[in-house]
């Protein structure tokens, strides 16, 4: 398993919020739902995404943007249009002064907006719970990751556009899986762009020494790795591997491994009911105590506290 495959194995939509928005200008929405990740596909017309900090992004038909939460942002027909709509946690929709818009903008099954034949059409899929998207994935993304429609093609957008407004048995599961697939395709396209803000481990994937070392680590996190063992497996000296790994990835091999192990442990604590002993063994710690010590040093809280916080988030 390579590092990107390991990362993309994370998205698990379960009852994700999905909507087909149709709007006529002028329109502007302030998104402050605190969701960890939202995917927006621009189907028709244009839009702007304006984070509170950072440069605005212009979307054209075919473009997709991944918005990493929980920081708020605005989506509008034009940067100068003042927000008329506010999206709160739980996808509660109001005017800026708090008046509910839920009924006024309901256009049918997963259809929402100001006009069913509105000029602008967007497909929106939101992972509302932290457990649906791994922290490792969120940490690898900028606040806005844009894939331009003229740089790639996917039949999934058209399929999602057809399926999103259907009300059939099992439809929620169909849409969850389509959203996961579209997100993974979008992430893969974004990470593969030369101008993308790629993490060091992604750039290092193609290196003849560090790339195989990364794959070995991700293939078996539980193995008691040492730099000497890893170097022998990839046919390099300890010094050469350590130097090359640090230069390309940005940290020593064992520091990288510790980070991945603890991130994997955090995901398992959030997403499963496995015992702490089982989690420890799975990520390469001999005992629950050893994992707890390392986890608290990294996250500032015990695994039990982390799991309890995730369950109530």
């Amino acid at each position: 398993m390579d590092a990107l495959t390991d990362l993309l194995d994370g998205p698990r939509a379960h009852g994700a919020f999905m909507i087909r928005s149709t709007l006529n200008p002028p329109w502007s929405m302030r998104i402050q739902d605190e969701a960890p990740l939202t995917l927006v596909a621009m189907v028709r017309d244009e839009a702007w995404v304006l984070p509170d900090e950072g440069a605005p992004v212009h979307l054209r038909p075919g473009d997709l943007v991944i918005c990493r939460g929980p920081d708020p942002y605005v989506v509008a027909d034009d940067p100068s249009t003042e927000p008329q709509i506010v999206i709160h946690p739980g996808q509660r929709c109001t005017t800026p002064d708090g008046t509910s818009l839920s009924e006024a903008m309901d256009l049918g099954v997963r259809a929402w907006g100001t006009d069913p034949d509105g000029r602008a059409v967007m497909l929106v899929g939101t992972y509302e719970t932290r457990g649906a998207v791994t922290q490792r994935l969120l940490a690898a993304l900028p606040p806005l990751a844009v894939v331009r429609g003229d740089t790639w093609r996917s039949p999934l957008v058209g399929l999602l556009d057809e399926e999103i407004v259907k009300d059939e048995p099992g439809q929620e599961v169909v849409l969850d899986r389509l959203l996961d697939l579209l997100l993974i395709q979008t992430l893969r396209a974004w990470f593969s762009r030369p101008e993308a803000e790629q993490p060091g481990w992604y750039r290092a994937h193609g290196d003849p020494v560090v790339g195989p070392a990364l794959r070995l680590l991700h293939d078996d996190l539980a193995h008691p790795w040492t730099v000497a063992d890893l170097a022998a497996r990839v046919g390099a000296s300890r010094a050469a591997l350590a130097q090359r790994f640090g230069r390309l990835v940005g940290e020593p091999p064992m520091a990288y491994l510790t980070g991945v192990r603890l991130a994997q442990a955090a995901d398992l604590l959030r997403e499963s009911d496995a015992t702490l002993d089982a989690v420890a063994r799975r990520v390469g710690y001999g005992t629950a105590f050893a994992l707890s010590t390392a986890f608290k040093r990294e996250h500032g809280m015990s695994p039990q506290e982390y799991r309890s916080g995730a369950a109530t988030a």
Side-chain angles (χ1 to χ4, degrees):
M1 180 185 294
D2 61 65
L4 184 59
T5 297
D6 192 19
L7 191 75
L8 297 186
D9 192 43
R12 293 288 187 273
H14 181 72
F17 175 79
M18 299 190 68
I19 205 85
R20 187 179 192 268
S21 299
T22 55
L23 303 137
N24 271 327
W27 59 269
S28 179
M29 302 176 286
R30 180 164 178 81
I31 313 299
Q32 51 187 48
D33 59 3
E34 301 179 5
L37 189 146
T38 295
L39 177 65
V40 178
M42 200 73 207
V43 176
R44 193 169 69 216
D45 204 36
E46 300 180 348
W48 288 83
V49 183
L50 303 105
D52 283 5
E53 295 184 9
V57 172
H58 188 200
L59 299 180
R60 302 176 182 85
D63 291 349
L64 291 100
V65 59
I66 299 169
C67 306
R68 188 199 69 200
D71 294 338
Y73 54 94
V74 170
V75 184
D77 70 310
D78 187 271
S80 63
T81 305
E82 290 294 323
Q84 309 124 341
I85 303 160
V86 180
I87 308 298
H88 303 272
Q91 303 306 318
R92 186 170 60 88
C93 173
T94 72
T95 62
D97 64 7
T99 303
S100 176
L101 291 171
S102 297
E103 291 186 11
M105 300 190 72
D106 187 351
L107 300 178
V109 178
R110 299 184 199 87
W112 178 93
T114 59
D115 184 342
D117 300 312
R119 199 168 84 189
V121 177
M122 294 179 293
L123 305 181
V124 181
T126 298
Y127 292 79
E128 296 186 277
T129 61
R130 294 180 184 177
V133 187
T134 66
Q135 188 60 40
R136 288 174 294 149
L137 173 56
L138 296 176
L141 290 171
L144 298 175
V146 183
V147 174
R148 297 297 179 188
D150 58 1
T151 64
W152 78 308
R153 288 289 182 270
S154 171
L156 289 174
V157 175
L159 183 57
L160 185 59
D161 195 18
E162 293 178 10
E163 293 287 337
I164 200 169
V165 294
K166 292 182 180 179
D167 189 16
E168 298 181 1
Q171 194 65 15
E172 186 175 282
V173 176
V174 171
L175 293 175
D176 281 346
R177 298 293 74 78
L178 283 175
L179 177 60
D180 286 343
L181 288 171
L182 182 58
L183 174 62
I184 289 168
Q185 277 203 343
T186 305
L187 287 166
R188 190 168 60 182
W190 186 82
F191 276 115
S192 67
R193 295 168 63 244
E195 65 272 29
E197 299 173 20
Q198 300 163 345
W201 53 258
Y202 182 88
R203 294 191 300 271
H205 175 67
D207 184 81
V209 172
V210 179
L214 285 168
R215 286 190 285 275
L216 284 167
L217 294 176
H218 283 269
D219 275 340
D220 191 359
L221 287 179
H223 183 79
W225 292 107
T226 64
V227 177
D229 183 18
L230 197 59
R233 298 280 192 99
V234 299
S237 69
R238 287 181 54 186
L241 174 62
Q243 183 181 36
R244 199 158 178 160
F245 198 104
R247 177 169 53 84
L248 294 175
V249 179
E251 57 185 334
M254 295 301 101
Y256 175 84
L257 177 60
T258 297
V260 174
R261 281 174 167 170
L262 293 176
Q264 179 71 32
D267 292 340
L268 289 169
L269 290 166
R270 179 181 289 138
E271 298 165 10
S272 75
D273 57 0
T275 66
L276 190 57
D277 276 325
V279 171
R281 289 193 300 270
R282 186 165 171 181
V283 300
Y285 284 88
T287 65
F289 178 77
L291 172 61
S292 295
T293 301
F295 194 94
K296 190 167 186 177
R297 186 167 55 244
E298 176 73 13
H299 293 280
M301 64 181 75
S302 71
Q304 292 89 343
E305 290 170 331
Y306 184 87
R307 173 172 269 171
S308 298
T312 59

